[in-house]
Amino acid sequence: MNAEDVAHYLRTHPDFLNEHHELFAELTVPHPRHGGQAISLAERQLHALRDKIRLLELKLAELIRFGEENDDISGKVHRLSVTLLLAGSVASVRQAVISSLQDDFAVPHVGLELWAVVAQPEACGVSEAARRHIDSLRHPYCGAPESIEVASWFGEAAPHVRSLALMPLRSQGVCFGLLALGSAEPERFYPEMGTLYLNRIGELVAAALAARAA
């Protein structure tokens, strides 16, 4: 018999070791951490179970951490929502958005550009080509600034912005502006990051602006 035959036999006869339980104490295998030391099958199984428990504990700790982070972000989005509900004008919505993102979300640089619905196109500093690009986004863009114009949306802070998030602002399917978040940290906003909350923030801001302009 070769090793595969033995393994096959044990798989097809699960009661074998139960019927010959003395083998657990008689057979030995190398220690998983100390190669020169031999231990019984039962002890080896105990080590395997402990390793699995450690992995499960690490996974549970990670899930708890993610849950706490999501709760924290949800609380910040809720506070932003309440502030936007209390804002009585486009100007106050703008100020509420900038203050919330800078103070509560710790985003150092915030840009809000509007070119339709709540503003005249000629009053906007976004080119027609950039507007078409923003309109084509179906999800927030996260990553490095793609052009000098994009960086310019942060005013004097433009030279310091190394990563950003761009959120199209839409009302009834019409893109009328964008919300831009910028950071000097290259990895603050990166292409693979989740955009669930960015989407929600963009929708909240768009709805508040469109409602005040009506």
Side-chain angles (χ1 to χ4, degrees), residues 3-22:
E4 292 183 359
D5 293 331
V6 174
H8 176 72
Y9 180 85
L10 291 175
R11 290 193 187 96
T12 55
H13 296 79
D15 294 331
F16 176 81
L17 290 176
N18 187 46
E19 295 170 356
H20 300 275
H21 54 82
E22 70 279 0

Side-chain angles (χ1 to χ4, degrees), residues 35 181 204:
L181 313 182
L204 284 170

Side-chain angles (χ1 to χ4, degrees), residues 114-125 131 176:
L114 309 172
W115 55 80
V117 179
V118 295
Q120 294 299 317
E122 57 270 16
C124 175
R131 291 179 216 170
F176 65 85

Side-chain angles (χ1 to χ4, degrees), residues 72-89 92-101 104-105 179 196-209 211-212:
D72 183 51
I73 296 174
S74 294
K76 294 175 181 179
V77 173
H78 174 71
R79 289 192 291 274
L80 172 60
S81 302
V82 172
T83 303
L84 292 177
L85 285 172
L86 296 174
S89 65
S92 58
V93 169
R94 178 189 291 271
Q95 183 56 48
V97 170
I98 294 174
S99 297
S100 173
L101 291 172
D104 214 5
F105 288 85
L179 176 61
L196 173 64
Y197 286 108
L198 291 176
N199 263 320
R200 291 179 178 177
I201 290 172
E203 290 173 356
L204 284 170
V205 173
L209 288 168
R212 301 307 178 276

Side-chain angles (χ1 to χ4, degrees), residues 152-185:
S152 71
W153 297 335
F154 297 99
E156 295 179 356
H160 308 291
V161 174
R162 295 292 178 269
S163 67
L164 53 78
L166 301 179
M167 286 155 280
L169 302 178
R170 292 187 173 89
S171 176
Q172 298 181 350
V174 177
C175 182
F176 65 85
L178 73 94
L179 176 61
L181 313 182
S183 173
E185 301 174 19

